[in-house]
mmCIF file of all heavy atoms in Angstrom:
data_model
loop_
_atom_site.group_PDB
_atom_site.id
_atom_site.type_symbol
_atom_site.label_atom_id
_atom_site.label_comp_id
_atom_site.label_asym_id
_atom_site.label_seq_id
_atom_site.Cartn_x
_atom_site.Cartn_y
_atom_site.Cartn_z
ATOM 1 N N PHE C 19 12.126 -9.997 8.590
ATOM 2 C CA PHE C 19 11.498 -8.710 8.270
ATOM 3 C C PHE C 19 12.112 -7.590 9.095
ATOM 4 O O PHE C 19 12.378 -6.505 8.596
ATOM 5 C CB PHE C 19 9.995 -8.767 8.528
ATOM 6 C CG PHE C 19 9.327 -9.899 7.828
ATOM 7 C CD1 PHE C 19 8.739 -10.918 8.528
ATOM 8 C CD2 PHE C 19 9.318 -9.941 6.443
ATOM 9 C CE1 PHE C 19 8.140 -11.967 7.874
ATOM 10 C CE2 PHE C 19 8.713 -10.989 5.785
ATOM 11 C CZ PHE C 19 8.123 -11.996 6.501
ATOM 12 N N LEU C 20 12.327 -7.898 10.377
ATOM 13 C CA LEU C 20 12.840 -6.855 11.257
ATOM 14 C C LEU C 20 14.178 -6.343 10.747
ATOM 15 O O LEU C 20 14.413 -5.148 10.653
ATOM 16 C CB LEU C 20 12.983 -7.404 12.673
ATOM 17 C CG LEU C 20 11.666 -7.478 13.456
ATOM 18 C CD1 LEU C 20 11.765 -8.483 14.557
ATOM 19 C CD2 LEU C 20 11.324 -6.127 14.021
ATOM 20 N N ILE C 21 15.058 -7.264 10.380
ATOM 21 C CA ILE C 21 16.390 -6.836 9.972
ATOM 22 C C ILE C 21 16.350 -6.182 8.601
ATOM 23 O O ILE C 21 16.893 -5.101 8.382
ATOM 24 C CB ILE C 21 17.351 -8.037 9.990
ATOM 25 C CG1 ILE C 21 17.611 -8.419 11.435
ATOM 26 C CG2 ILE C 21 18.662 -7.688 9.297
ATOM 27 C CD1 ILE C 21 18.482 -9.594 11.593
ATOM 28 N N GLN C 22 15.649 -6.799 7.674
ATOM 29 C CA GLN C 22 15.624 -6.258 6.317
ATOM 30 C C GLN C 22 15.066 -4.847 6.309
ATOM 31 O O GLN C 22 15.601 -3.953 5.670
ATOM 32 C CB GLN C 22 14.783 -7.196 5.438
ATOM 33 C CG GLN C 22 15.070 -7.083 3.970
ATOM 34 C CD GLN C 22 14.115 -6.151 3.272
ATOM 35 O OE1 GLN C 22 13.236 -5.583 3.882
ATOM 36 N NE2 GLN C 22 14.330 -5.969 1.991
ATOM 37 N N VAL C 23 13.971 -4.649 7.029
ATOM 38 C CA VAL C 23 13.314 -3.342 6.966
ATOM 39 C C VAL C 23 14.095 -2.279 7.720
ATOM 40 O O VAL C 23 14.182 -1.138 7.282
ATOM 41 C CB VAL C 23 11.864 -3.454 7.466
ATOM 42 C CG1 VAL C 23 11.212 -2.105 7.527
ATOM 43 C CG2 VAL C 23 11.082 -4.360 6.549
ATOM 44 N N THR C 24 14.722 -2.657 8.855
ATOM 45 C CA THR C 24 15.504 -1.627 9.550
ATOM 46 C C THR C 24 16.717 -1.222 8.726
ATOM 47 O O THR C 24 17.176 -0.099 8.815
ATOM 48 C CB THR C 24 16.018 -2.091 10.926
ATOM 49 O OG1 THR C 24 16.399 -3.447 10.816
ATOM 50 C CG2 THR C 24 15.003 -1.900 11.992
ATOM 51 N N GLN C 25 17.227 -2.151 7.925
ATOM 52 C CA GLN C 25 18.422 -1.801 7.157
ATOM 53 C C GLN C 25 18.108 -0.814 6.050
ATOM 54 O O GLN C 25 18.892 0.078 5.762
ATOM 55 C CB GLN C 25 19.019 -3.063 6.549
ATOM 56 C CG GLN C 25 19.921 -3.786 7.507
ATOM 57 C CD GLN C 25 20.716 -4.818 6.774
ATOM 58 O OE1 GLN C 25 20.167 -5.672 6.098
ATOM 59 N NE2 GLN C 25 22.007 -4.741 6.902
ATOM 60 N N ILE C 26 16.954 -1.014 5.395
ATOM 61 C CA ILE C 26 16.620 -0.095 4.309
ATOM 62 C C ILE C 26 16.064 1.160 4.927
ATOM 63 O O ILE C 26 15.010 1.141 5.549
ATOM 64 C CB ILE C 26 15.643 -0.758 3.340
ATOM 65 C CG1 ILE C 26 16.395 -1.867 2.644
ATOM 66 C CG2 ILE C 26 15.121 0.255 2.356
ATOM 67 C CD1 ILE C 26 15.720 -2.492 1.520
ATOM 68 N N GLY C 27 16.790 2.213 4.774
ATOM 69 C CA GLY C 27 16.385 3.437 5.440
ATOM 70 C C GLY C 27 16.448 4.600 4.492
ATOM 71 O O GLY C 27 16.305 4.459 3.284
ATOM 72 N N ILE C 28 16.685 5.747 5.069
ATOM 73 C CA ILE C 28 16.662 6.969 4.296
ATOM 74 C C ILE C 28 17.826 6.990 3.300
ATOM 75 O O ILE C 28 17.779 7.662 2.286
ATOM 76 C CB ILE C 28 16.697 8.176 5.262
ATOM 77 C CG1 ILE C 28 15.712 9.218 4.789
ATOM 78 C CG2 ILE C 28 18.052 8.763 5.411
ATOM 79 C CD1 ILE C 28 14.297 8.885 5.117
ATOM 80 N N GLY C 29 18.859 6.205 3.585
ATOM 81 C CA GLY C 29 19.996 6.122 2.672
ATOM 82 C C GLY C 29 19.613 5.589 1.314
ATOM 83 O O GLY C 29 20.298 5.812 0.329
ATOM 84 N N PHE C 30 18.498 4.886 1.282
ATOM 85 C CA PHE C 30 17.998 4.307 0.051
ATOM 86 C C PHE C 30 17.821 5.356 -1.040
ATOM 87 O O PHE C 30 18.004 5.077 -2.225
ATOM 88 C CB PHE C 30 16.661 3.637 0.369
ATOM 89 C CG PHE C 30 16.025 2.926 -0.776
ATOM 90 C CD1 PHE C 30 16.491 1.701 -1.184
ATOM 91 C CD2 PHE C 30 14.955 3.487 -1.443
ATOM 92 C CE1 PHE C 30 15.896 1.041 -2.236
ATOM 93 C CE2 PHE C 30 14.359 2.830 -2.492
ATOM 94 C CZ PHE C 30 14.838 1.610 -2.890
ATOM 95 N N PHE C 31 17.450 6.572 -0.641
ATOM 96 C CA PHE C 31 17.207 7.628 -1.619
ATOM 97 C C PHE C 31 18.495 8.138 -2.231
ATOM 98 O O PHE C 31 18.499 8.621 -3.337
ATOM 99 C CB PHE C 31 16.516 8.813 -0.953
ATOM 100 C CG PHE C 31 15.104 8.560 -0.563
ATOM 101 C CD1 PHE C 31 14.731 8.578 0.761
ATOM 102 C CD2 PHE C 31 14.150 8.318 -1.515
ATOM 103 C CE1 PHE C 31 13.419 8.361 1.120
ATOM 104 C CE2 PHE C 31 12.832 8.103 -1.161
ATOM 105 C CZ PHE C 31 12.477 8.122 0.159
ATOM 106 N N SER C 32 19.560 8.105 -1.441
ATOM 107 C CA SER C 32 20.700 8.936 -1.821
ATOM 108 C C SER C 32 22.031 8.213 -1.848
ATOM 109 O O SER C 32 23.035 8.826 -2.140
ATOM 110 C CB SER C 32 20.798 10.106 -0.834
ATOM 111 O OG SER C 32 20.896 9.593 0.462
ATOM 112 N N PHE C 33 22.057 6.898 -1.562
ATOM 113 C CA PHE C 33 23.368 6.296 -1.313
ATOM 114 C C PHE C 33 24.237 6.208 -2.560
ATOM 115 O O PHE C 33 25.450 6.124 -2.463
ATOM 116 C CB PHE C 33 23.216 4.915 -0.684
ATOM 117 C CG PHE C 33 22.710 3.854 -1.628
ATOM 118 C CD1 PHE C 33 23.572 2.956 -2.217
ATOM 119 C CD2 PHE C 33 21.379 3.779 -1.933
ATOM 120 C CE1 PHE C 33 23.110 1.983 -3.082
ATOM 121 C CE2 PHE C 33 20.901 2.810 -2.802
ATOM 122 C CZ PHE C 33 21.765 1.919 -3.376
ATOM 123 N N GLN C 34 23.623 6.226 -3.775
ATOM 124 C CA GLN C 34 24.435 6.050 -4.976
ATOM 125 C C GLN C 34 25.477 7.153 -5.117
ATOM 126 O O GLN C 34 26.578 6.917 -5.578
ATOM 127 C CB GLN C 34 23.579 6.047 -6.242
ATOM 128 C CG GLN C 34 22.604 4.915 -6.335
ATOM 129 C CD GLN C 34 21.207 5.364 -6.005
ATOM 130 O OE1 GLN C 34 21.031 6.148 -5.083
ATOM 131 N NE2 GLN C 34 20.235 4.887 -6.745
#
Side-chain angles (χ1 to χ4, degrees):
Chain C
F19 306 115
L20 281 157
I21 289 178
Q22 202 265 0
V23 175
T24 38
Q25 276 193 305
I26 292 190
I28 223 77
F30 183 76
F31 289 116
S32 56
F33 72 100
Q34 296 103 320

